[in-house]
Structure formats: C-alpha cells, structure tokens
Amino acid sequence: MPEHREIERKFLVRELPEKLEDFPHAEIEQGYLAIELDSVQVRMRKAGDELSLTYKRNEELSREEREITLTPEQFAVLWPGTAERRLRKTRYEVPLGELVVEIDVYHERHEGLIVAEVEFENEEEARTFQPPPWLGDDVSFDPRYSNQLLAS
C-alpha cells in the first residue's frame, strides 16, 4: 500500500462470528479535534495504552492518512478539544484469509450498532472483495456510518 494511504470498505455486520471475545480486541475512545465532512478530519484515539493523533483526507475509496503517537501528557492537553465529538467502541480483529476484519461494536448512544472494516493493499483488491455471508450491506460511502458523523 502506498505510504500514508488507507484503502478500506465498511460493512454492517449481519451476524457476529462465534466466540468473538476470543479474538484480539481493544476498548477505543476517540474524539475529533476537527471535522470537515467529506474532506478532512483530525482524530484522537485511545486504544488500550496506545494514544494517537490521526489526520485523514477523504479521496473516494483511498484516502490520505497520517498518524503520530502521543505521550500521555500531549493526549491530556488535546483531549478536552474533542468534547461533544467523541465515541466509544470495542474493536475486534477477526482474520479472514490474508485479510483482517475489524469489527466495531459501539457503546453509549450508539449501543447496538456493529460495523466491520476491511483494509486492502490496493483499490482493485478492495473493489473485487467478496464479503463473507456474515457481513451485511456495504456502507463504505454511506455518511451515516462514518465515525466522524457518529461522534458529532
């Protein structure tokens, strides 16, 4: 995959894999410092002990993504800037052949929402991907399921 590129598709989850808790997973809190829907976002994330700041610019199926690790002190200074633009979810990493399906189970006001993301090496691989039957509708371009909108 080209450096600083993210190529992914997002799906609703029709049926959770058996023994989901047995797969690697992390509790995630994320908030947004800046959101321009369909354009640019600056996201902060706490996943376990990992703290990060990510800049994303949307460009169809592929998008620019740049991420840095934050110290706890840096995170503490910036986190208040995400007030009113946050969400909580548990992310499970489920192997699917050579790929990994990241299943996000949302909490709090989005309780009951479950989506899955699959990242690809290139756009052709993303376009030709045949999801397994336990994945539902492709919502890759449906803004109602974008994390930045869910956090608003």
Side-chain angles (χ1 to χ4, degrees):
M1 181 173 2
E3 192 173 343
H4 306 298
R5 280 276 158 225
E6 176 183 66
I7 303 167
E8 69 181 13
R9 287 177 59 191
K10 184 180 284 193
F11 301 87
L12 295 179
V13 175
R14 187 174 315 208
E15 183 180 329
L16 288 171
E18 288 186 25
K19 299 183 179 178
L20 186 63
E21 290 291 325
D22 291 348
F23 293 101
H25 58 281
E27 298 299 318
I28 294 176
E29 290 182 72
Q30 71 187 42
Y32 291 83
L33 291 169
I35 301 172
E36 289 182 35
L37 292 180
D38 297 326
S39 182
V40 173
Q41 58 183 279
V42 179
R43 176 193 77 203
M44 296 184 66
R45 178 182 280 172
K46 178 180 181 183
D49 294 332
E50 296 178 26
L51 307 172
S52 63
L53 176 76
T54 305
Y55 163 88
K56 293 185 178 191
R57 183 192 324 248
N58 291 336
E59 298 171 3
E60 300 293 322
L61 195 58
S62 170
R63 63 183 170 185
E64 180 181 2
E65 179 179 81
R66 298 173 185 273
E67 184 170 277
I68 60 170
T69 300
L70 297 175
T71 66
E73 296 78 16
Q74 291 169 322
F75 191 87
V77 167
L78 293 170
W79 185 247
T82 68
E84 307 301 319
R85 293 184 307 273
R86 295 180 184 164
L87 58 83
R88 284 189 54 247
K89 60 188 178 181
T90 304
R91 173 166 286 173
Y92 298 87
E93 296 180 0
V94 179
L96 182 67
E98 299 289 316
L99 302 171
V100 173
V101 179
E102 295 177 336
I103 297 176
D104 289 340
V105 178
Y106 289 84
H107 305 295
E108 297 171 341
R109 69 180 188 261
H110 301 299
E111 195 76 35
L113 176 61
I114 303 172
V115 300
E117 296 178 350
V118 183
E119 278 197 37
F120 302 94
E121 289 294 319
N122 58 62
E123 289 188 21
E124 178 63 24
E125 187 178 296
R127 278 191 210 91
T128 60
F129 174 70
Q130 295 298 311
W134 53 272
L135 289 179
D137 293 339
D138 184 332
V139 294
S140 301
F141 300 105
D142 188 334
R144 294 176 298 171
Y145 298 100
S146 67
N147 282 313
Q148 60 267 33
L149 189 63
L150 292 171
S152 298

